[in-house]
């Protein structure tokens, strides 16, 4: 497999530099620090026990010894050759001051790193400007540590793809059990944070690409309301469903990162109301947030996989014990209708979005989707050894987004998923949020046959589909383990309901105490 993105010389130079740039400090950063929370690191920085450079040096070392050697997770495509320099100048103020964060490799950074969506077709020159997300992270004081591997083109190239595989970077492994998948498309972001290669990471989702990898790597993942976080400078799939979001080891860390990246951007019209809702989401980390909440259980999305069903029942018990009212077997109207035209809408939007993104990158030789198709055909041995590009071909055959057929399908999908779906279910029983089991325990990697995902009733598109199609927020968190693999649940609600979902998830997290560090097992143990 190709592993062309890590730039070993840049990493080696960064590690050599680290030996000469460390000032006097109270102690060396150790492996426990790699799993420290944002709040803990901020406190260590304030007291001088650690510095941002210490943490950056530690993560660079772990990337070298765990990601590129040792268990070879292969989550990080490329490290930032300027990471240590940035860490040495990290501000004291800012919500993420000195916190090392990884970005999915579909998010532009105006530095020396590439942005490729995992494709060799774009592995030429770095983006000329930061994405809105990268700019906000820098403003908050974060250290952008590197770029993570993903499912190539965010899983929009083939129906037979293996999640976490790219032509540029090969296959990302699940750090809990190495022959298992990290899910996609934000596979590298999930695996990296789970393995302690960064404090947090940014993923992106169209439908499941934050929620699934976060669930399968034992993380908290927040898929925000579409329009809360700007998509400017992010390689797109869908204007109606795409959003970036945080992936972290705790609700508190995910909430802190979300607050840093949320807000309006005049370059992304979908975010026109974001400033009215963006806030410091750590304000909602209330251990008593579940008291008085009414939460509906979407049994339509359960009953398929026994481990996730056990996690669901465990969560219901935790909710009741903390004063929440649980309304069981809530029906989400139109659920089975949502999958009928979702892919059709995405194909229209993908063609339009990719062409528009490439037009914003005149430095790239690829000018449109047709060029990408031709590149894959020329480089089939590197780009298509396992699966093809039938989704590219289908998208290329679609018309423009002014097509009345497209507009009708998009509007219908959003209406049935949102106002007539999730909102109707919430209103009927006066609910604050809906609950469903998350994706099943991580499936075995299979490059020959592709993914074997188990997630709710396949006729409804999986647990992420209702919120994804509606453009509404969702949050996943781990609640237990099965056969050394994390298993979680998903809470989702109406538009702009991030504060409520974060409070609910935090309440569950405090009682579940489910997070475990990965053991890098070669396979599931047979007892």
């Amino acid at each position: 497999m190709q592993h062309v993105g890590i730039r070993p010389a840049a990493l080696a130079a960064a590690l050599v530099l680290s030996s000469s740039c460390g000032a006097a400090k109270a102690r060396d950063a150790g492996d426990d620090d790699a799993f420290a929370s944002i709040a803990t690191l901020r406190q260590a920085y304030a007291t001088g026990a650690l510095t941002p450079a210490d943490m950056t040096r530690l993560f660079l070392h772990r990337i070298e010894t765990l990601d590129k050697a040792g268990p070879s997770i292969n989550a990080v495509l490329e490290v930032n050759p300027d990471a240590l320099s940035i860490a040495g100048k990290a501000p004291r103020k800012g919500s993420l001051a000195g916190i090392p964060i990884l970005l999915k490799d579909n998010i532009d950074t105006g530095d020396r790193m590439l942005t490729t969506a995992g494709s060799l077709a774009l592995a030429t020159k770095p983006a000329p400007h930061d994405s809105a997300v990268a700019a906000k992270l820098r403003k908050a004081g974060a250290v952008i540590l590197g770029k993570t591997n993903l499912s190539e083109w965010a899983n929009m190239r083939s129906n037979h793809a293996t999640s976490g595989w790219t032509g540029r970077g090969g296959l990302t492994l699940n750090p809990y059990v190495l022959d298992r998948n990290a899910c996609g498309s934000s596979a590298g972001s999930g695996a990296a944070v789970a393995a302690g290669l960064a404090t947090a990471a940014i993923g992106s989702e169209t439908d499941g690409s934050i929620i699934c990898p976060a669930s399968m790597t034992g993380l908290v993942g927040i898929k925000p309301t579409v329009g809360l976080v700007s998509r400017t400078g992010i390689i797109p799939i869908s204007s109606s469903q795409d959003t970036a979001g945080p992936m972290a080891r705790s609700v508190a860390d995910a909430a802190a990162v979300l607050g840093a990246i949320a807000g309006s951007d005049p370059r992304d019209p979908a975010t026109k109301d974001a400033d009215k809702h963006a806030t410091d989401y750590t304000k909602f980390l209330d251990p008593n947030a579940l008291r008085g909440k009414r939460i509906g259980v979407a049994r339509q999305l359960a009953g398929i996989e026994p481990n996730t069903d056990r996690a669901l029942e465990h969560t219901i018990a935790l909710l009741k014990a903390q004063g929440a009212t649980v309304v069981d077997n809530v029906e989400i109207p139109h659920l089975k209708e949502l999958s009928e035209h979702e892919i059709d809408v995405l194909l229209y939007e993908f063609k339009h979005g990719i062409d528009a993104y490439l037009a914003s990158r005149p430095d790239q030789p690829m000018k449109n989707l047709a060029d990408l198709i031709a590149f894959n055909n020329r480089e089939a041995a590197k780009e298509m050894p396992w699966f093809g590009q039938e989704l590219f071909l289908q998208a290329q055959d679609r018309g423009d987004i002014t097509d009345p057929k497209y507009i009708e399908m998009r509007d219908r999908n959003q209406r049935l998923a949102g106002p007539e779906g999730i909102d109707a279910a919430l209103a009927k029983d006066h609910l604050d949020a809906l609950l469903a089991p998350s994706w099943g325990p991580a499936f075995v990697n299979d490059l020959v046959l592709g993914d074997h995902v188990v997630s709710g009733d396949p006729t409804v598109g999986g647990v992420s589909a209702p919120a994804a199609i509606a453009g509404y927020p969702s949050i996943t968190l781990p609640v237990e383990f099965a056969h050394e693999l994390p298993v979680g649940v998903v809470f989702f609600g109406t538009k702009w309901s991030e504060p409520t979902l974060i409070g609910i998830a935090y309440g569950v997290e405090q009682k579940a105490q489910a997070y475990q560090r990965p053991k890098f097992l070669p396979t599931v143990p047979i007892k």
Side-chain angles (χ1 to χ4, degrees), residues 439-461:
W439 305 80
F443 50 90
V444 175
N445 287 316
D446 188 344
L447 285 165
V448 175
L449 298 179
D451 290 347
H452 306 288
V453 180
V454 178
S455 170
D457 186 339
T459 66
V460 301

Side-chain angles (χ1 to χ4, degrees), residues 177-501:
V177 180
L178 299 175
D179 66 359
R180 298 272 160 167
N181 197 269
C183 203
S185 62
S186 305
S189 293
V193 176
L197 309 182
T199 303
I202 304 296
S204 68
E205 173 159 343
T206 303
D207 187 344
S209 289
I210 290 173
I211 297 300
C212 185
S215 175
M216 290 193 181
T217 59
L219 301 181
V220 175
I222 300 177
K223 197 284 288 189
T225 298
V226 172
L228 181 63
V229 177
S230 173
R231 287 85 57 87
T232 301
I234 300 178
I235 299 174
I237 289 178
S238 164
S239 57
S240 62
Q241 293 183 205
D242 283 356
T243 181
M247 303 172 72
R249 290 183 291 269
S250 68
V251 176
D253 283 0
V257 175
L258 179 61
I261 63 175
S264 298
D265 175 6
R267 298 167 296 176
D268 183 354
T271 65
K272 62 183 177 63
D273 294 326
D275 281 348
K276 299 176 185 177
H277 301 278
T279 186
D280 174 5
Y281 292 98
T282 62
K283 296 185 299 184
F284 306 102
L285 302 174
D286 179 2
N288 299 313
L290 287 167
R291 289 181 185 173
K293 290 290 189 298
R294 292 177 59 83
I295 299 169
V297 182
R299 293 280 178 186
Q300 293 160 290
L301 296 168
I304 301 297
E305 202 284 317
N307 295 291
T308 56
D309 286 344
R310 283 194 295 271
L312 178 65
E313 299 306 325
H314 181 197
T315 304
I316 290 170
L318 291 175
L319 292 170
K320 291 178 177 178
Q322 294 182 78
T325 297
V326 176
V327 180
D328 211 338
N329 205 20
V330 169
E331 181 181 356
I332 304 174
H334 307 295
L335 201 56
K336 290 185 180 293
E337 299 170 56
L338 297 183
S339 61
E340 291 179 6
H341 298 297
E342 182 186 14
I343 187 61
D344 294 316
V345 170
L346 299 185
L347 290 169
Y348 273 96
E349 294 180 345
F350 180 66
K351 178 183 179 182
H352 175 82
I354 284 294
D355 286 357
Y357 173 81
L358 292 174
S360 75
R361 295 287 308 274
D363 55 295
Q364 287 289 343
M366 301 290 111
K367 303 304 179 186
N368 49 43
L369 180 57
D371 286 349
L372 297 175
I373 291 169
F375 178 90
N376 288 337
N377 286 331
R378 290 195 305 271
E379 300 294 337
K382 297 177 181 178
E383 279 290 352
M384 299 195 292
W386 302 110
F387 54 89
Q389 56 176 339
E390 68 272 12
L391 292 180
F392 271 24
L393 296 171
Q394 291 170 28
Q396 182 63 20
D397 287 341
R398 291 303 191 272
D400 193 74
I401 57 171
T402 58
D403 186 333
K405 179 182 177 182
Y406 154 74
I407 295 171
E408 180 184 2
M409 289 189 297
R410 179 200 63 196
D411 292 350
R412 174 185 180 273
N413 286 358
Q414 292 183 320
R415 183 183 74 252
L416 294 182
E420 297 180 18
I422 292 172
D423 289 341
L426 294 172
K428 181 177 181 294
D429 291 299
H430 309 287
L431 302 173
D432 295 290
L434 293 162
L435 165 66
S438 193
W439 305 80
F443 50 90
V444 175
N445 287 316
D446 188 344
L447 285 165
V448 175
L449 298 179
D451 290 347
H452 306 288
V453 180
V454 178
S455 170
D457 186 339
T459 66
V460 301
V463 298
S464 58
I469 296 170
Y472 290 1
S474 54
I475 183 169
T476 185
L477 74 157
V479 292
E480 56 183 52
F481 274 69
H483 309 292
E484 303 290 346
L485 294 164
V487 184
V489 292
V490 177
F491 292 96
F492 55 104
T494 193
K495 193 173 186 178
W496 311 120
S497 63
E498 284 84 355
T500 298
L501 298 179

